[in-house]
Amino acid sequence: MAEIASPRTDAPVRRPLAPMRPTARLDFATLGGVLGAFALIGTAIVIGGSPGAFVDLPAMLIVLGGTATVTAISYSLGEMLRSSGIVLRTLLYHREDASQTALNMIALADRARQRGSLDLQNVLQQLRHDRFLTKAVQLVVDGTPGDEIERVLGREVEATLQRHQRSAGILRRAGEVAPAMGLIGTLVGLVQMLGNLQDPSAIGPAMAVALLTTFYGAILANMVFLPLANKLDRNSGMEAQVKHLVSLGAASIGRQENPRRLETLLNTILAPGDRVRYFD
Amino acid sequence: MAEIASPRTDAPVRRPLAPMRPTARLDFATLGGVLGAFALIGTAIVIGGSPGAFVDLPAMLIVLGGTATVTAISYSLGEMLRSSGIVLRTLLYHREDASQTALNMIALADRARQRGSLDLQNVLQQLRHDRFLTKAVQLVVDGTPGDEIERVLGREVEATLQRHQRSAGILRRAGEVAPAMGLIGTLVGLVQMLGNLQDPSAIGPAMAVALLTTFYGAILANMVFLPLANKLDRNSGMEAQVKHLVSLGAASIGRQENPRRLETLLNTILAPGDRVRYFD
Amino acid sequence: MAEIASPRTDAPVRRPLAPMRPTARLDFATLGGVLGAFALIGTAIVIGGSPGAFVDLPAMLIVLGGTATVTAISYSLGEMLRSSGIVLRTLLYHREDASQTALNMIALADRARQRGSLDLQNVLQQLRHDRFLTKAVQLVVDGTPGDEIERVLGREVEATLQRHQRSAGILRRAGEVAPAMGLIGTLVGLVQMLGNLQDPSAIGPAMAVALLTTFYGAILANMVFLPLANKLDRNSGMEAQVKHLVSLGAASIGRQENPRRLETLLNTILAPGDRVRYFD
Amino acid sequence: MAEIASPRTDAPVRRPLAPMRPTARLDFATLGGVLGAFALIGTAIVIGGSPGAFVDLPAMLIVLGGTATVTAISYSLGEMLRSSGIVLRTLLYHREDASQTALNMIALADRARQRGSLDLQNVLQQLRHDRFLTKAVQLVVDGTPGDEIERVLGREVEATLQRHQRSAGILRRAGEVAPAMGLIGTLVGLVQMLGNLQDPSAIGPAMAVALLTTFYGAILANMVFLPLANKLDRNSGMEAQVKHLVSLGAASIGRQENPRRLETLLNTILAPGDRVRYFD
Amino acid sequence: MAEIASPRTDAPVRRPLAPMRPTARLDFATLGGVLGAFALIGTAIVIGGSPGAFVDLPAMLIVLGGTATVTAISYSLGEMLRSSGIVLRTLLYHREDASQTALNMIALADRARQRGSLDLQNVLQQLRHDRFLTKAVQLVVDGTPGDEIERVLGREVEATLQRHQRSAGILRRAGEVAPAMGLIGTLVGLVQMLGNLQDPSAIGPAMAVALLTTFYGAILANMVFLPLANKLDRNSGMEAQVKHLVSLGAASIGRQENPRRLETLLNTILAPGDRVRYFD
């Protein structure tokens, strides 16, 4: 990024576009967060001395199976599988770099300004890894008017956002169902225990087992489903912001505006720490 | 769908429209989800050893009857029956295929382009099973301007959405009432038990019975009403999306736009996996 | 309605307008729901054997009096009385028939088309029981332009909706206050009981009495206030829909549009089961 | 009000404007509601026999002090004092009479119609107690166009609403903090009690003291903060409605519309019981 | 401020602009509120007699570590660090003075009126500490049209607001996670205790330890995370209001409107106590 951020020494056109390949880096925060939280609870259980008391297959079946079946009522199996795929991809989060995208769009605008919009056809091959950017540049090359470019790309961003929200919605729904199934399991255990109070010494362990479903439900909802749903929302918002930068850039090229104006515009949207300087 | 998705070999006009009959397939996810969840809880109860302790007619009466009567306060009986009908239809979910609808609209646009809008009159008979599509094509045949088509159909989609939301609202309301009636029943049981503490051995079973209404309320709300309400919302959203595709297609034909442009437009809205290629 | 729905045989103008008198029919769903729910709980209490344990005057005073006084803090006495009046009227619910209203508006439009807008002056007397319809027809007779009619009537519908929402808001507020007062009463009872643990045999009955305020609060909120608030919202929504039909009809007459077009427009908004056919 | 509502006998111009002085009447509903609710709970406590058990200084300190300090984190001291002032003014609620305001605006419009807008300068002195009305009339006298008047006054109403919402927000926040501090206090008490279970006879009183903070928190939130926040919202809404009437009236005068038209317009917004007749 | 508020005696142009340096004053309300609340709870614990019972390292680890790891799932480490920075800056809150900003904008407008917009270039140096104001004045000096100034600055305010909301969202999320981790910790403790009921004398202390995680979670959420999130929202809203004043002022200068008109406009938005008089 450094060589792009200080471009004064080169002629603008020769400035290389940053590599556009999706760099699928492992997102340590998500994976580490889930593992770390489980490790913490596990340690507390082991220190407490009776880890075996926390493993109960019927209780797990009620909470895990119940959450799966009840969530399936509201969606189709296909949707749930697709959502799992999106969640996995979230773990392998491809970092969308807003600064780099902004620089790239200004570089493209600069090139179009100097060699004409049609010349952008030559960089299309280089951008092929980024489907959205390719589409944006293709629209520019086709001579689509700026407003139309903004409308078409905006509609696509909107549709993508809605799909992601639906996936996050499934996770969020599972995060509501899990504690409810935990409560139902605990009620089952309580009713069974209260019906057989003859042996007082059995009350404690029976209560402990009854509480396990509530425990599993709380773990599943608060340490898996809800945080992942939030992560999905956040990633989706960041992806939308980056696509918005692409959309504004392509529209600006389509309107044949001055690239310096585009730089000002993009910097208005970028966070202070992400702002870019392409022109000196 | 395959032969439509690779249409290059045929002349576009002869390409057959996909069958438009509503294919009422059983929605296994919904039915299976409800049954599976109940089977899970049932198994847990049977394993626990005293299934009889979970059947209590007065408790069922309080929760089921109370939920029915209290929900009836806020609606009319007619509405509740109509809502039940919509819920049943949800179980027999007629899958709206977005891809197929998009291909059909492009095929219609292509036909109108080559033979004129009036020729669409000849396919109306073929579309008669799909009331909304028939109305859309009829508007095109009548020579209604594109913007007017979009407005009329949009208003109908909006009104349908509102009706579905009202049905989902009844279910959601029942899902709020059921746990409340469960709590009220448990309070009745607790007050009765606490007033007669002479026989300590009776406390356990009395508590168990008191908890049963809470248990029934939690089951009803979390495993029936709320998941079905969510399902209704989801189906309604998907139906609206498909109708939106029809509406955009009809408006495009009404405006006599190029069918290739319609293809681009519809693909912008479709999920990546649902995108279609009618023209090569 | 049947004779209006199959009008082909008569000349349109002679077709009689449906009677516009408000038919104040008792709304059995609301009244029956409240009574039914109370009967259910009452039966459960009587079967349990000690109905006297559920009557405690101080507890009633705390919950009923507390709900009344605390709700009064947020509103004025006048508002609360007016809201009670609206609730009572809800029990005597005057069913607004959307189909009939739509047919009436088309009949008026047809008449205006054939004899001129001014002729509608002759039906004003017949419509005098329906204040809103009278105002709409008066605006047409006065020669108000269609857009202006829509704006004036729309503003009135909006203001009515807001007034109803305020009444529903009072009920909803009371539905929040009642359980809170129940909790406060139970806390008072618990603190008193816990301070005097000398006589263990008194614990049970004291707990029972302490729980009664929670019980009353749950009953009041879940079986009276919240369902009635929902009913008010629903009635208000249906009234607004009927007024919207009147407004669209009057505006259509004011614009001198074809009554057949009005029929199409109104059917777009009506539920499928409510759609009307005035012209063959 | 009666003599203004039947003005036919006088010449319109001589009709006196209603007195515009803010009539700061004590709002008995608010003050009476708070006192009544406290009296009810107090009576229940005294009847229960041990009022001393409900007074615990450390518990009061935790809840009152905790609510004050935690609420202070989110705001500045200045804001909290200003909010207290607004709350006190709410108790001395100056009733804004929508009917009277509407009649006044029509009277002003009538006067402007007959003697010209500039003549309104002569009533400015009479209106000096109502800052908003004075500003509205001043704008008319200055010859500001109607749309501009509506925009300027609308912006001011909006800004006032936002300020009131911020004050209501502080109260609502305090209403969330109080029960949380009550819970924290109870947890402190429980942990202390559970650590010293040697003397079983001390358990009851210790539990009673531990519950007191929950009790105080529930009282503060449900009987003071939340009802007052709602009252503030309601008063703010009513003030905004009255200011909206003034704004519409001033704009109508600025547009030199017929005062009868203004009467129709204002009656559209007023509740049925508040509608006015200035002209016969 | 006094000398600016009574400017009649000087010629307007010589009136000095108020110092624009950010005056980073310690925000005692926030810091004092947090410390005060902790001091209150600490005092209650010490008075209760066994402060040692409230310190439990494993419990702290579960709640603090769990909240950190689970919150990290939904965000990246970078974001969480950046958010911590913003929270710290909140403690060192730089008071944005709406009145002073309004006076400054009117002074700038007055100067531009008398010496021309280009002359504002000379004050740019003086404003350099306020990045937003500098940008606004620069836009005016560049001759940007008023509407464009409003759009550009409005977009920047919007983007800043969104960034702040994201930071507040992290805090709010942590405020949801903390009590959930507290509940999970308590469930772990309860299950362990119930499994070993042999020694009744150990029940009390084990319960006490189990409750500690709930206690820590409640403290963290209600006394740290949620109040700070609210504070951030409030500061962000006030900063946006001040920036809105700057934006309106710059646009007004760009449109070459009369500064007196700007004074009227800004006073419409300012709270009554903050209104300014620049011209007599």
Side-chain angles (χ1 to χ4, degrees):
Chain A
M1 212 169 96
E3 69 273 37
I4 300 198
S6 52
R8 248 284 82 161
T9 49
D10 302 323
V13 214
R14 265 171 266 154
R15 209 168 296 146
L17 278 165
M20 299 282 183
R21 248 163 304 132
T23 52
R25 298 195 301 138
L26 205 64
D27 185 357
F28 287 113
T30 300
L31 203 58
V34 173
L35 295 180
F38 271 94
L40 262 172
I41 301 299
T43 310
I45 286 175
V46 169
I47 289 176
S50 50
F54 288 86
V55 181
D56 187 70
L57 267 175
M60 281 184 184
L61 211 69
I62 287 184
V63 176
L64 285 175
T67 304
T69 48
V70 169
T71 308
I73 298 175
S74 307
Y75 301 93
S76 72
L77 292 178
E79 268 176 307
M80 288 174 74
L81 288 177
R82 228 174 306 143
S83 170
S84 308
I86 293 180
V87 170
L88 283 180
R89 232 174 306 146
T90 293
L91 293 178
L92 296 160
Y93 170 54
H94 145 59
R95 180 164 148 64
E96 315 259 0
D97 190 326
S99 293
Q100 190 55 58
T101 302
L103 276 175
N104 286 341
M105 292 319 294
I106 302 169
L108 288 172
D110 195 20
R111 184 174 180 137
R113 178 81 160 183
Q114 301 197 14
R115 308 195 185 170
S117 299
L118 276 178
D119 177 71
L120 293 184
Q121 203 143 19
N122 302 322
V123 300
L124 271 176
Q125 173 62 13
Q126 199 182 337
L127 308 174
R128 71 180 183 283
H129 294 292
D130 186 333
R131 212 189 51 73
F132 188 78
L133 181 53
T134 304
K135 178 162 191 181
V137 172
Q138 187 65 57
L139 283 168
V140 170
V141 171
D142 292 354
T144 321
D147 289 354
E148 175 80 6
I149 292 178
E150 216 166 343
R151 205 162 35 238
V152 168
L153 295 180
R155 208 146 36 191
E156 179 148 351
V157 172
E158 193 54 44
T160 307
L161 267 177
Q162 277 179 12
R163 272 196 302 281
H164 287 189
Q165 273 168 14
R166 224 176 297 153
S167 286
I170 298 183
L171 281 172
R172 225 175 281 285
R173 179 81 191 113
E176 286 167 18
V177 171
M181 295 314 292
L183 170 70
I184 288 175
T186 296
L187 286 170
V188 169
L190 282 179
V191 170
Q192 285 172 339
M193 183 200 77
L194 290 167
N196 304 294
L197 279 184
Q198 289 82 357
D199 179 8
S201 75
I203 296 179
M207 268 293 287
V209 172
L211 280 182
L212 277 185
T213 53
T214 292
F215 175 66
Y216 293 155
I219 291 269
L220 263 189
N222 293 301
M223 284 163 53
V224 181
F225 292 136
L226 297 179
L228 287 183
N230 273 6
K231 182 78 175 199
L232 217 60
D233 278 344
R234 172 192 162 278
N235 283 5
S236 171
M238 290 182 72
E239 192 185 325
Q241 197 211 6
V242 166
K243 284 187 172 168
H244 189 46
L245 294 173
V246 170
S247 169
L248 284 177
S252 172
I253 303 175
R255 283 191 206 101
Q256 311 196 349
E257 289 173 358
N258 190 326
R260 284 169 195 270
R261 202 182 134 108
L262 176 60
E263 189 184 78
T264 310
L265 174 64
L266 297 185
N267 278 334
T268 305
I269 295 169
L270 288 165
D274 286 345
R275 298 217 171 107
V276 296
R277 275 195 77 170
Y278 181 86
F279 303 101
D280 64 308
Chain B
M1 211 170 96
E3 69 274 37
I4 300 199
S6 52
R8 248 284 82 161
T9 49
D10 302 323
V13 215
R14 265 173 267 154
R15 209 169 296 144
L17 279 165
M20 300 281 184
R21 247 162 305 131
T23 51
R25 298 195 301 139
L26 205 64
D27 186 356
F28 287 112
T30 301
L31 203 58
V34 173
L35 294 180
F38 272 94
L40 263 172
I41 301 299
T43 309
I45 286 175
V46 169
I47 288 175
S50 51
F54 287 87
V55 181
D56 187 71
L57 267 176
M60 282 185 184
L61 212 70
I62 287 183
V63 176
L64 285 175
T67 303
T69 47
V70 169
T71 308
I73 298 175
S74 306
Y75 301 94
S76 72
L77 292 179
E79 268 176 308
M80 289 174 73
L81 288 177
R82 227 175 304 142
S83 170
S84 309
I86 293 180
V87 169
L88 283 180
R89 232 174 306 147
T90 293
L91 293 178
L92 296 161
Y93 170 53
H94 145 60
R95 181 163 148 64
E96 315 259 3
D97 190 327
S99 291
Q100 190 54 58
T101 302
L103 276 176
N104 287 342
M105 292 319 295
I106 302 168
L108 287 173
D110 195 19
R111 183 174 180 138
R113 179 80 159 184
Q114 301 197 14
R115 309 197 185 168
S117 298
L118 276 178
D119 177 71
L120 293 185
Q121 202 143 20
N122 302 322
V123 300
L124 271 176
Q125 173 61 13
Q126 198 182 337
L127 309 173
R128 71 180 183 282
H129 294 291
D130 186 334
R131 212 189 52 74
F132 188 78
L133 181 53
T134 304
K135 179 162 190 180
V137 173
Q138 187 65 58
L139 283 167
V140 170
V141 171
D142 293 353
T144 320
D147 289 354
E148 175 80 5
I149 293 178
E150 216 165 343
R151 206 163 34 239
V152 168
L153 296 180
R155 208 146 36 190
E156 179 149 351
V157 172
E158 193 53 42
T160 307
L161 267 177
Q162 276 179 14
R163 271 196 303 280
H164 287 188
Q165 273 168 14
R166 223 176 297 153
S167 286
I170 297 183
L171 281 171
R172 224 175 281 286
R173 180 82 191 112
E176 285 167 19
V177 171
M181 296 313 293
L183 170 70
I184 289 175
T186 296
L187 285 170
V188 168
L190 282 179
V191 170
Q192 284 173 339
M193 183 200 76
L194 290 166
N196 304 295
L197 279 184
Q198 290 82 357
D199 178 8
S201 76
I203 295 181
M207 269 292 287
V209 171
L211 280 182
L212 277 186
T213 53
T214 291
F215 175 66
Y216 293 156
I219 291 268
L220 263 188
N222 292 301
M223 284 163 54
V224 181
F225 292 136
L226 297 179
L228 288 183
N230 273 6
K231 181 79 174 198
L232 218 60
D233 277 345
R234 173 194 162 276
N235 283 5
S236 171
M238 290 182 72
E239 192 185 325
Q241 197 211 6
V242 166
K243 284 187 171 167
H244 189 45
L245 294 173
V246 170
S247 168
L248 285 176
S252 172
I253 303 175
R255 284 190 205 101
Q256 311 197 349
E257 290 173 357
N258 190 326
R260 284 170 195 269
R261 203 181 134 108
L262 176 60
E263 189 184 77
T264 309
L265 173 65
L266 297 185
N267 278 333
T268 306
I269 294 170
L270 288 166
D274 286 345
R275 298 217 171 107
V276 296
R277 277 195 76 172
Y278 181 86
F279 303 101
D280 62 308
Chain C
M1 210 169 97
E3 69 273 38
I4 299 199
S6 52
R8 249 282 85 160
T9 49
D10 302 323
V13 214
R14 264 171 268 155
R15 209 168 295 144
L17 279 166
M20 300 281 185
R21 247 162 304 132
T23 51
R25 297 196 301 140
L26 206 63
D27 186 356
F28 287 113
T30 301
L31 203 58
V34 173
L35 295 181
F38 271 94
L40 263 172
I41 301 300
T43 310
I45 286 175
V46 169
I47 288 176
S50 52
F54 287 86
V55 182
D56 186 72
L57 266 175
M60 281 185 185
L61 211 70
I62 286 184
V63 176
L64 285 175
T67 304
T69 47
V70 169
T71 308
I73 297 174
S74 306
Y75 302 93
S76 72
L77 292 178
E79 268 176 306
M80 288 174 73
L81 288 177
R82 228 175 305 143
S83 170
S84 309
I86 293 180
V87 169
L88 283 180
R89 233 175 305 146
T90 294
L91 294 178
L92 296 160
Y93 170 54
H94 145 59
R95 181 163 149 65
E96 314 259 2
D97 190 327
S99 293
Q100 190 54 57
T101 302
L103 276 175
N104 287 341
M105 292 320 293
I106 303 168
L108 287 172
D110 195 20
R111 184 174 179 138
R113 179 82 160 183
Q114 300 197 16
R115 308 197 184 168
S117 298
L118 277 178
D119 177 70
L120 293 185
Q121 203 144 18
N122 302 321
V123 300
L124 271 176
Q125 173 62 13
Q126 200 182 336
L127 309 173
R128 72 180 183 283
H129 294 292
D130 186 334
R131 210 189 53 74
F132 188 77
L133 181 54
T134 304
K135 179 162 190 181
V137 173
Q138 186 66 57
L139 283 168
V140 170
V141 170
D142 292 354
T144 321
D147 288 354
E148 175 80 5
I149 292 178
E150 216 164 344
R151 206 164 32 241
V152 168
L153 295 179
R155 208 147 34 191
E156 180 149 352
V157 172
E158 192 54 42
T160 307
L161 268 176
Q162 277 179 13
R163 272 196 303 280
H164 287 187
Q165 273 169 14
R166 223 176 299 153
S167 286
I170 298 183
L171 281 172
R172 223 176 281 287
R173 180 82 191 111
E176 285 168 18
V177 171
M181 296 314 292
L183 170 70
I184 289 175
T186 296
L187 285 170
V188 168
L190 282 179
V191 170
Q192 285 172 338
M193 183 199 77
L194 290 166
N196 303 296
L197 279 184
Q198 289 83 357
D199 177 9
S201 75
I203 296 180
M207 269 291 288
V209 171
L211 281 182
L212 277 185
T213 53
T214 291
F215 175 66
Y216 293 155
I219 292 268
L220 262 188
N222 292 300
M223 284 163 53
V224 181
F225 291 136
L226 298 179
L228 287 182
N230 272 6
K231 181 79 175 197
L232 217 60
D233 278 344
R234 173 193 161 277
N235 283 5
S236 171
M238 290 183 72
E239 191 184 326
Q241 197 211 5
V242 166
K243 284 186 171 168
H244 189 45
L245 294 173
V246 170
S247 168
L248 285 176
S252 172
I253 304 175
R255 284 191 205 100
Q256 310 198 348
E257 289 173 357
N258 190 326
R260 284 169 195 269
R261 203 183 134 107
L262 177 61
E263 190 185 77
T264 309
L265 173 65
L266 297 186
N267 278 333
T268 305
I269 295 169
L270 287 166
D274 286 346
R275 298 217 171 106
V276 296
R277 278 195 75 172
Y278 181 86
F279 302 101
D280 63 307
Chain D
M1 211 169 95
E3 69 273 37
I4 300 198
S6 51
R8 250 281 86 158
T9 48
D10 301 324
V13 213
R14 263 171 269 154
R15 209 169 296 145
L17 279 164
M20 299 281 184
R21 248 161 304 132
T23 51
R25 297 195 300 140
L26 206 64
D27 186 356
F28 287 112
T30 300
L31 203 58
V34 173
L35 295 181
F38 272 94
L40 263 172
I41 301 299
T43 309
I45 287 174
V46 169
I47 287 175
S50 51
F54 287 87
V55 181
D56 187 72
L57 266 175
M60 281 185 185
L61 212 69
I62 287 184
V63 176
L64 284 175
T67 303
T69 48
V70 170
T71 307
I73 298 175
S74 307
Y75 301 94
S76 71
L77 292 179
E79 269 176 305
M80 288 174 73
L81 287 177
R82 229 175 304 143
S83 170
S84 310
I86 294 180
V87 170
L88 282 180
R89 234 174 304 147
T90 294
L91 294 178
L92 297 160
Y93 170 55
H94 145 60
R95 181 163 149 65
E96 315 259 2
D97 190 327
S99 292
Q100 189 55 57
T101 302
L103 276 175
N104 287 342
M105 293 318 294
I106 302 168
L108 288 172
D110 194 20
R111 184 175 179 137
R113 179 81 160 184
Q114 300 197 15
R115 307 197 185 169
S117 298
L118 276 178
D119 177 71
L120 293 184
Q121 202 143 20
N122 302 322
V123 301
L124 271 176
Q125 173 61 14
Q126 200 182 337
L127 309 173
R128 72 180 182 281
H129 294 292
D130 186 334
R131 212 189 51 74
F132 188 77
L133 181 54
T134 304
K135 179 162 190 180
V137 172
Q138 186 66 58
L139 283 168
V140 170
V141 170
D142 292 353
T144 320
D147 288 355
E148 175 81 4
I149 293 178
E150 217 166 342
R151 205 163 35 238
V152 167
L153 296 181
R155 208 147 35 193
E156 180 148 352
V157 171
E158 192 55 42
T160 308
L161 267 176
Q162 276 179 15
R163 273 196 303 280
H164 287 188
Q165 273 168 14
R166 222 177 298 153
S167 286
I170 298 183
L171 281 172
R172 225 176 280 286
R173 179 81 192 113
E176 285 167 18
V177 171
M181 295 313 293
L183 170 70
I184 289 175
T186 295
L187 285 169
V188 168
L190 282 179
V191 170
Q192 285 172 338
M193 183 199 77
L194 290 166
N196 303 296
L197 279 185
Q198 289 82 357
D199 178 8
S201 75
I203 295 180
M207 269 291 287
V209 172
L211 281 182
L212 277 185
T213 54
T214 292
F215 175 67
Y216 294 156
I219 292 268
L220 263 188
N222 292 300
M223 284 163 53
V224 180
F225 292 136
L226 297 179
L228 287 182
N230 272 6
K231 181 78 174 198
L232 218 59
D233 278 344
R234 173 193 162 276
N235 283 5
S236 171
M238 289 183 72
E239 191 184 326
Q241 198 211 5
V242 165
K243 284 187 172 168
H244 188 44
L245 294 174
V246 169
S247 168
L248 285 177
S252 171
I253 303 175
R255 284 191 205 101
Q256 310 196 350
E257 290 173 357
N258 190 325
R260 284 169 196 268
R261 201 181 135 108
L262 176 62
E263 189 185 77
T264 309
L265 174 65
L266 296 186
N267 278 332
T268 305
I269 294 169
L270 287 166
D274 285 346
R275 299 217 171 107
V276 296
R277 276 195 77 171
Y278 181 84
F279 303 101
D280 63 306
Chain E
M1 211 169 97
E3 69 273 36
I4 299 199
S6 51
R8 250 284 80 161
T9 49
D10 302 322
V13 212
R14 265 171 268 154
R15 209 167 296 144
L17 278 165
M20 300 282 184
R21 247 162 304 131
T23 52
R25 297 196 299 139
L26 206 64
D27 186 356
F28 287 113
T30 300
L31 203 58
V34 172
L35 295 180
F38 272 94
L40 262 172
I41 301 299
T43 310
I45 287 175
V46 169
I47 287 175
S50 51
F54 288 87
V55 181
D56 187 71
L57 267 175
M60 281 184 184
L61 212 69
I62 287 184
V63 176
L64 285 175
T67 303
T69 48
V70 169
T71 308
I73 298 175
S74 307
Y75 301 94
S76 72
L77 293 178
E79 268 175 307
M80 288 174 74
L81 287 177
R82 227 175 306 143
S83 170
S84 309
I86 293 180
V87 170
L88 282 180
R89 233 174 305 148
T90 294
L91 294 177
L92 296 160
Y93 170 54
H94 145 59
R95 181 163 149 65
E96 315 259 1
D97 191 327
S99 293
Q100 189 54 58
T101 302
L103 276 175
N104 287 341
M105 293 319 293
I106 302 167
L108 288 172
D110 195 21
R111 183 174 181 137
R113 179 80 160 183
Q114 300 196 17
R115 307 196 184 168
S117 298
L118 277 178
D119 177 71
L120 293 185
Q121 203 143 20
N122 302 322
V123 300
L124 271 175
Q125 173 61 14
Q126 199 183 338
L127 309 173
R128 71 180 183 282
H129 294 291
D130 186 334
R131 212 189 52 75
F132 188 78
L133 181 54
T134 304
K135 179 162 189 181
V137 172
Q138 187 66 59
L139 283 168
V140 170
V141 171
D142 293 352
T144 321
D147 288 355
E148 175 80 5
I149 293 178
E150 217 166 342
R151 206 162 34 240
V152 168
L153 296 180
R155 208 146 36 192
E156 179 148 352
V157 172
E158 192 54 42
T160 307
L161 267 177
Q162 277 179 13
R163 273 196 302 280
H164 287 188
Q165 274 168 13
R166 222 176 299 154
S167 287
I170 298 183
L171 281 172
R172 225 175 281 285
R173 179 82 192 112
E176 286 168 18
V177 171
M181 295 314 292
L183 170 70
I184 288 175
T186 296
L187 285 169
V188 169
L190 282 179
V191 170
Q192 285 173 338
M193 183 200 77
L194 290 166
N196 304 295
L197 279 184
Q198 288 82 358
D199 178 8
S201 76
I203 296 179
M207 269 291 288
V209 171
L211 281 182
L212 277 185
T213 53
T214 292
F215 175 66
Y216 293 157
I219 291 269
L220 263 188
N222 292 300
M223 284 163 53
V224 181
F225 292 135
L226 297 179
L228 287 183
N230 273 6
K231 182 78 175 198
L232 218 59
D233 278 344
R234 172 192 163 277
N235 283 4
S236 172
M238 290 182 72
E239 192 184 326
Q241 197 211 6
V242 166
K243 284 187 172 167
H244 188 45
L245 295 173
V246 170
S247 169
L248 284 177
S252 172
I253 303 176
R255 283 190 206 102
Q256 311 197 347
E257 289 173 357
N258 190 325
R260 284 169 196 269
R261 202 182 134 108
L262 176 61
E263 188 185 78
T264 308
L265 174 64
L266 296 185
N267 278 333
T268 306
I269 295 169
L270 288 166
D274 286 345
R275 298 218 170 104
V276 296
R277 277 195 76 170
Y278 181 86
F279 303 101
D280 64 307

